[in-house]
Amino acid sequence: MDIKKLAQESIAAKEFAYTPYSHFRVGAALLTKDGGIYRGCNIENAAYTPTNCAERTAFFKAVSEGKKEFTAIAINGDANDYLYPCGVCRQVMAEFCDPETFQIILAVSKDKYDVFTLRELFPLGFGPADLA
Ligand code: THU
């Protein structure tokens, strides 16, 4: 996996962020096991709660097109530091991704990033196996 490329994709994904309320743009780039990349941006709403994070936009785009196996996601926000995914997005990741291998790349730039597994950012979470 080319981490720098995925980081760059997450930065590019911010272009279409719809953020009239927070003015805080976030971009995400989700890598499928077969090498495809789905971009997502945050999409806000006047009623606030319907707001969708960039990460979930990327997941929902991919799943709605039949993709359910993922390797990594890169995330970039209008912050000067690492942007960690919110709890709801971590829960969505846990639905589809192997916690031990799925990589979450926090990209400040294409050259400055940190990498965590889903397990590291979402320990002891509730997931599909718990319903079995
Ligand atoms: N946001 C994301 O898109 N991803 C995150 O991981 C954190 C927060 C968005 C939601 C909202 O549009 C804005 O950032 C401020 O919370």
Side-chain angles (χ1 to χ4, degrees):
M1 186 216 340
D2 186 342
I3 291 185
K4 287 183 193 299
K5 177 175 162 47
L6 206 60
Q8 191 59 51
E9 287 280 333
S10 74
I11 294 165
K14 280 195 311 195
E15 183 187 352
F16 299 118
Y18 177 75
T19 58
Y21 308 106
S22 75
H23 305 289
F24 185 78
R25 300 174 307 154
V26 183
L30 179 62
L31 181 64
T32 64
K33 272 197 181 150
D34 58 12
I37 293 176
Y38 285 83
R39 288 184 184 181
C41 60
N42 51 337
I43 303 169
E44 299 186 342
N45 189 279
Y48 291 8
T49 52
T51 292
N52 209 56
C53 290
E55 298 91 322
R56 275 175 291 140
T57 301
F59 267 90
F60 296 156
K61 282 174 66 180
V63 174
S64 70
E65 293 185 22
K67 304 295 181 187
K68 286 200 278 295
E69 294 192 316
F70 305 106
T71 305
I73 190 168
I75 307 163
N76 170 269
D78 276 345
N80 292 323
D81 209 344
Y82 300 108
L83 177 75
Y84 289 82
C86 82
V88 173
C89 288
R90 295 179 203 202
Q91 183 71 51
V92 169
M93 293 175 197
E95 186 66 28
F96 297 103
C97 305
D98 179 343
E100 309 302 339
T101 61
F102 184 70
Q103 293 194 302
I104 299 168
I105 299 153
L106 311 179
V108 175
S109 70
K110 77 171 171 44
D111 298 312
K112 185 183 177 195
Y113 52 81
D114 209 351
V115 185
F116 295 89
T117 64
L118 178 57
R119 177 73 78 210
E120 288 175 308
L121 292 192
F122 195 60
L124 303 173
F126 180 81
D130 296 304
L131 281 179

PDB file of all heavy atoms in Angstrom, residues 19 22 24 26 41-44 51-55 75 83-86 89, ligand 1:
ATOM      1  N   THR A  19     -19.392  22.448   4.414  1.00  0.00           N
ATOM      2  CA  THR A  19     -19.238  22.795   5.827  1.00  0.00           C
ATOM      3  C   THR A  19     -19.621  24.254   6.123  1.00  0.00           C
ATOM      4  O   THR A  19     -18.817  25.016   6.657  1.00  0.00           O
ATOM      5  CB  THR A  19     -17.770  22.560   6.265  1.00  0.00           C
ATOM      6  OG1 THR A  19     -16.920  23.366   5.418  1.00  0.00           O
ATOM      7  CG2 THR A  19     -17.362  21.114   6.133  1.00  0.00           C
ATOM      8  N   SER A  22     -19.575  24.568  10.454  1.00  0.00           N
ATOM      9  CA  SER A  22     -18.318  24.484  11.222  1.00  0.00           C
ATOM     10  C   SER A  22     -17.140  25.101  10.474  1.00  0.00           C
ATOM     11  O   SER A  22     -16.139  25.456  11.098  1.00  0.00           O
ATOM     12  CB  SER A  22     -17.985  23.019  11.530  1.00  0.00           C
ATOM     13  OG  SER A  22     -17.488  22.369  10.361  1.00  0.00           O
ATOM     14  N   PHE A  24     -15.109  23.526   8.973  1.00  0.00           N
ATOM     15  CA  PHE A  24     -14.010  22.595   9.258  1.00  0.00           C
ATOM     16  C   PHE A  24     -14.106  21.447   8.260  1.00  0.00           C
ATOM     17  O   PHE A  24     -14.980  20.577   8.375  1.00  0.00           O
ATOM     18  CB  PHE A  24     -14.128  22.089  10.709  1.00  0.00           C
ATOM     19  CG  PHE A  24     -12.985  21.230  11.152  1.00  0.00           C
ATOM     20  CD1 PHE A  24     -11.769  21.796  11.515  1.00  0.00           C
ATOM     21  CD2 PHE A  24     -13.115  19.847  11.206  1.00  0.00           C
ATOM     22  CE1 PHE A  24     -10.710  20.989  11.934  1.00  0.00           C
ATOM     23  CE2 PHE A  24     -12.063  19.044  11.624  1.00  0.00           C
ATOM     24  CZ  PHE A  24     -10.861  19.618  11.990  1.00  0.00           C
ATOM     25  N   VAL A  26     -13.090  18.057   6.261  1.00  0.00           N
ATOM     26  CA  VAL A  26     -12.398  16.788   6.484  1.00  0.00           C
ATOM     27  C   VAL A  26     -12.488  15.974   5.198  1.00  0.00           C
ATOM     28  O   VAL A  26     -13.515  15.981   4.509  1.00  0.00           O
ATOM     29  CB  VAL A  26     -13.019  15.991   7.662  1.00  0.00           C
ATOM     30  CG1 VAL A  26     -12.236  14.710   7.913  1.00  0.00           C
ATOM     31  CG2 VAL A  26     -13.060  16.845   8.930  1.00  0.00           C
ATOM     32  N   CYS A  41     -16.040  13.171   1.960  1.00  0.00           N
ATOM     33  CA  CYS A  41     -15.872  14.457   2.640  1.00  0.00           C
ATOM     34  C   CYS A  41     -16.994  14.594   3.662  1.00  0.00           C
ATOM     35  O   CYS A  41     -17.979  13.845   3.608  1.00  0.00           O
ATOM     36  CB  CYS A  41     -15.920  15.609   1.637  1.00  0.00           C
ATOM     37  SG  CYS A  41     -17.466  15.718   0.732  1.00  0.00           S
ATOM     38  N   ASN A  42     -16.850  15.528   4.594  1.00  0.00           N
ATOM     39  CA  ASN A  42     -17.962  15.746   5.514  1.00  0.00           C
ATOM     40  C   ASN A  42     -19.045  16.591   4.838  1.00  0.00           C
ATOM     41  O   ASN A  42     -18.766  17.470   4.012  1.00  0.00           O
ATOM     42  CB  ASN A  42     -17.521  16.339   6.855  1.00  0.00           C
ATOM     43  CG  ASN A  42     -16.645  17.569   6.756  1.00  0.00           C
ATOM     44  OD1 ASN A  42     -15.991  17.799   5.745  1.00  0.00           O
ATOM     45  ND2 ASN A  42     -16.625  18.360   7.807  1.00  0.00           N
ATOM     46  N   ILE A  43     -20.277  16.270   5.197  1.00  0.00           N
ATOM     47  CA  ILE A  43     -21.453  16.913   4.596  1.00  0.00           C
ATOM     48  C   ILE A  43     -22.356  17.355   5.747  1.00  0.00           C
ATOM     49  O   ILE A  43     -22.948  16.508   6.435  1.00  0.00           O
ATOM     50  CB  ILE A  43     -22.191  15.937   3.663  1.00  0.00           C
ATOM     51  CG1 ILE A  43     -21.247  15.400   2.575  1.00  0.00           C
ATOM     52  CG2 ILE A  43     -23.414  16.625   3.035  1.00  0.00           C
ATOM     53  CD1 ILE A  43     -21.803  14.230   1.779  1.00  0.00           C
ATOM     54  N   GLU A  44     -22.407  18.662   5.971  1.00  0.00           N
ATOM     55  CA  GLU A  44     -23.160  19.171   7.118  1.00  0.00           C
ATOM     56  C   GLU A  44     -24.605  19.479   6.741  1.00  0.00           C
ATOM     57  O   GLU A  44     -24.999  19.396   5.574  1.00  0.00           O
ATOM     58  CB  GLU A  44     -22.438  20.399   7.686  1.00  0.00           C
ATOM     59  CG  GLU A  44     -21.039  20.025   8.165  1.00  0.00           C
ATOM     60  CD  GLU A  44     -20.310  21.133   8.879  1.00  0.00           C
ATOM     61  OE1 GLU A  44     -20.689  22.314   8.750  1.00  0.00           O
ATOM     62  OE2 GLU A  44     -19.323  20.799   9.582  1.00  0.00           O
ATOM     63  N   THR A  51     -25.547  15.597   9.918  1.00  0.00           N
ATOM     64  CA  THR A  51     -24.182  15.738   9.380  1.00  0.00           C
ATOM     65  C   THR A  51     -23.498  14.381   9.262  1.00  0.00           C
ATOM     66  O   THR A  51     -23.576  13.541  10.157  1.00  0.00           O
ATOM     67  CB  THR A  51     -23.357  16.669  10.299  1.00  0.00           C
ATOM     68  OG1 THR A  51     -23.885  17.992  10.194  1.00  0.00           O
ATOM     69  CG2 THR A  51     -21.882  16.665   9.924  1.00  0.00           C
ATOM     70  N   ASN A  52     -22.838  14.189   8.136  1.00  0.00           N
ATOM     71  CA  ASN A  52     -22.104  12.934   7.914  1.00  0.00           C
ATOM     72  C   ASN A  52     -20.604  13.234   7.845  1.00  0.00           C
ATOM     73  O   ASN A  52     -20.177  14.116   7.108  1.00  0.00           O
ATOM     74  CB  ASN A  52     -22.568  12.281   6.606  1.00  0.00           C
ATOM     75  CG  ASN A  52     -22.421  10.777   6.649  1.00  0.00           C
ATOM     76  OD1 ASN A  52     -22.958  10.137   7.552  1.00  0.00           O
ATOM     77  ND2 ASN A  52     -21.689  10.218   5.714  1.00  0.00           N
ATOM     78  N   CYS A  53     -19.833  12.475   8.609  1.00  0.00           N
ATOM     79  CA  CYS A  53     -18.381  12.664   8.600  1.00  0.00           C
ATOM     80  C   CYS A  53     -17.780  12.161   7.286  1.00  0.00           C
ATOM     81  O   CYS A  53     -18.366  11.315   6.597  1.00  0.00           O
ATOM     82  CB  CYS A  53     -17.737  11.884   9.736  1.00  0.00           C
ATOM     83  SG  CYS A  53     -18.064  12.528  11.378  1.00  0.00           S
ATOM     84  N   ALA A  54     -16.589  12.644   7.001  1.00  0.00           N
ATOM     85  CA  ALA A  54     -15.886  12.242   5.782  1.00  0.00           C
ATOM     86  C   ALA A  54     -15.658  10.727   5.723  1.00  0.00           C
ATOM     87  O   ALA A  54     -15.826  10.105   4.663  1.00  0.00           O
ATOM     88  CB  ALA A  54     -14.539  12.961   5.722  1.00  0.00           C
ATOM     89  N   GLU A  55     -15.291  10.155   6.852  1.00  0.00           N
ATOM     90  CA  GLU A  55     -14.984   8.717   6.885  1.00  0.00           C
ATOM     91  C   GLU A  55     -16.212   7.887   6.522  1.00  0.00           C
ATOM     92  O   GLU A  55     -16.147   6.936   5.744  1.00  0.00           O
ATOM     93  CB  GLU A  55     -14.499   8.313   8.290  1.00  0.00           C
ATOM     94  CG  GLU A  55     -13.226   9.006   8.730  1.00  0.00           C
ATOM     95  CD  GLU A  55     -13.481  10.307   9.487  1.00  0.00           C
ATOM     96  OE1 GLU A  55     -14.414  11.052   9.122  1.00  0.00           O
ATOM     97  OE2 GLU A  55     -12.734  10.586  10.432  1.00  0.00           O
ATOM     98  N   ILE A  75      -7.102   9.941   6.625  1.00  0.00           N
ATOM     99  CA  ILE A  75      -7.985  11.035   7.066  1.00  0.00           C
ATOM    100  C   ILE A  75      -7.159  12.316   7.186  1.00  0.00           C
ATOM    101  O   ILE A  75      -6.070  12.310   7.771  1.00  0.00           O
ATOM    102  CB  ILE A  75      -8.616  10.707   8.444  1.00  0.00           C
ATOM    103  CG1 ILE A  75      -9.309   9.342   8.427  1.00  0.00           C
ATOM    104  CG2 ILE A  75      -9.586  11.811   8.861  1.00  0.00           C
ATOM    105  CD1 ILE A  75      -9.577   8.776   9.822  1.00  0.00           C
ATOM    106  N   LEU A  83      -5.883  14.324  12.994  1.00  0.00           N
ATOM    107  CA  LEU A  83      -7.333  14.319  13.222  1.00  0.00           C
ATOM    108  C   LEU A  83      -7.779  12.876  13.450  1.00  0.00           C
ATOM    109  O   LEU A  83      -7.710  12.049  12.540  1.00  0.00           O
ATOM    110  CB  LEU A  83      -8.061  14.909  12.018  1.00  0.00           C
ATOM    111  CG  LEU A  83      -9.576  14.869  12.146  1.00  0.00           C
ATOM    112  CD1 LEU A  83     -10.046  15.935  13.118  1.00  0.00           C
ATOM    113  CD2 LEU A  83     -10.259  15.051  10.818  1.00  0.00           C
ATOM    114  N   TYR A  84      -8.239  12.604  14.643  1.00  0.00           N
ATOM    115  CA  TYR A  84      -8.683  11.256  14.986  1.00  0.00           C
ATOM    116  C   TYR A  84     -10.155  11.085  14.622  1.00  0.00           C
ATOM    117  O   TYR A  84     -10.952  11.996  14.827  1.00  0.00           O
ATOM    118  CB  TYR A  84      -8.493  11.005  16.490  1.00  0.00           C
ATOM    119  CG  TYR A  84      -7.052  10.870  16.890  1.00  0.00           C
ATOM    120  CD1 TYR A  84      -6.270  12.005  17.117  1.00  0.00           C
ATOM    121  CD2 TYR A  84      -6.458   9.617  17.007  1.00  0.00           C
ATOM    122  CE1 TYR A  84      -4.928  11.890  17.473  1.00  0.00           C
ATOM    123  CE2 TYR A  84      -5.122   9.493  17.355  1.00  0.00           C
ATOM    124  CZ  TYR A  84      -4.367  10.628  17.584  1.00  0.00           C
ATOM    125  OH  TYR A  84      -3.049  10.523  17.925  1.00  0.00           O
ATOM    126  N   PRO A  85     -10.530   9.929  14.098  1.00  0.00           N
ATOM    127  CA  PRO A  85     -11.938   9.718  13.715  1.00  0.00           C
ATOM    128  C   PRO A  85     -12.854   9.696  14.932  1.00  0.00           C
ATOM    129  O   PRO A  85     -12.457   9.242  16.005  1.00  0.00           O
ATOM    130  CB  PRO A  85     -11.914   8.350  13.020  1.00  0.00           C
ATOM    131  CG  PRO A  85     -10.676   7.684  13.497  1.00  0.00           C
ATOM    132  CD  PRO A  85      -9.687   8.769  13.792  1.00  0.00           C
ATOM    133  N   CYS A  86     -14.061  10.185  14.762  1.00  0.00           N
ATOM    134  CA  CYS A  86     -15.022  10.206  15.875  1.00  0.00           C
ATOM    135  C   CYS A  86     -15.469   8.785  16.206  1.00  0.00           C
ATOM    136  O   CYS A  86     -15.245   7.834  15.457  1.00  0.00           O
ATOM    137  CB  CYS A  86     -16.217  11.096  15.529  1.00  0.00           C
ATOM    138  SG  CYS A  86     -17.468  10.296  14.508  1.00  0.00           S
ATOM    139  N   CYS A  89     -17.732   6.961  13.623  1.00  0.00           N
ATOM    140  CA  CYS A  89     -16.994   6.450  12.455  1.00  0.00           C
ATOM    141  C   CYS A  89     -16.181   5.210  12.818  1.00  0.00           C
ATOM    142  O   CYS A  89     -16.070   4.273  12.021  1.00  0.00           O
ATOM    143  CB  CYS A  89     -16.103   7.537  11.872  1.00  0.00           C
ATOM    144  SG  CYS A  89     -17.057   8.825  11.031  1.00  0.00           S
TER     145      CYS A  89
HETATM  146  N1  THU B   1     -15.776  15.433  11.179  1.00  0.00           N
HETATM  147  C1  THU B   1     -15.427  14.497  10.264  1.00  0.00           C
HETATM  148  O1  THU B   1     -15.823  14.568   9.095  1.00  0.00           O
HETATM  149  N2  THU B   1     -14.635  13.481  10.652  1.00  0.00           N
HETATM  150  C2  THU B   1     -14.099  13.354  11.905  1.00  0.00           C
HETATM  151  O2  THU B   1     -13.387  12.396  12.159  1.00  0.00           O
HETATM  152  C3  THU B   1     -14.377  14.365  12.926  1.00  0.00           C
HETATM  153  C4  THU B   1     -15.394  15.385  12.572  1.00  0.00           C
HETATM  154  C5  THU B   1     -16.598  16.578  10.748  1.00  0.00           C
HETATM  155  C6  THU B   1     -18.019  16.590  11.232  1.00  0.00           C
HETATM  156  C7  THU B   1     -18.343  18.080  11.133  1.00  0.00           C
HETATM  157  O3  THU B   1     -18.771  18.366   9.805  1.00  0.00           O
HETATM  158  C8  THU B   1     -17.017  18.766  11.389  1.00  0.00           C
HETATM  159  O4  THU B   1     -16.017  17.786  11.185  1.00  0.00           O
HETATM  160  C9  THU B   1     -16.873  19.353  12.764  1.00  0.00           C
HETATM  161  O5  THU B   1     -17.138  18.411  13.740  1.00  0.00           O
END
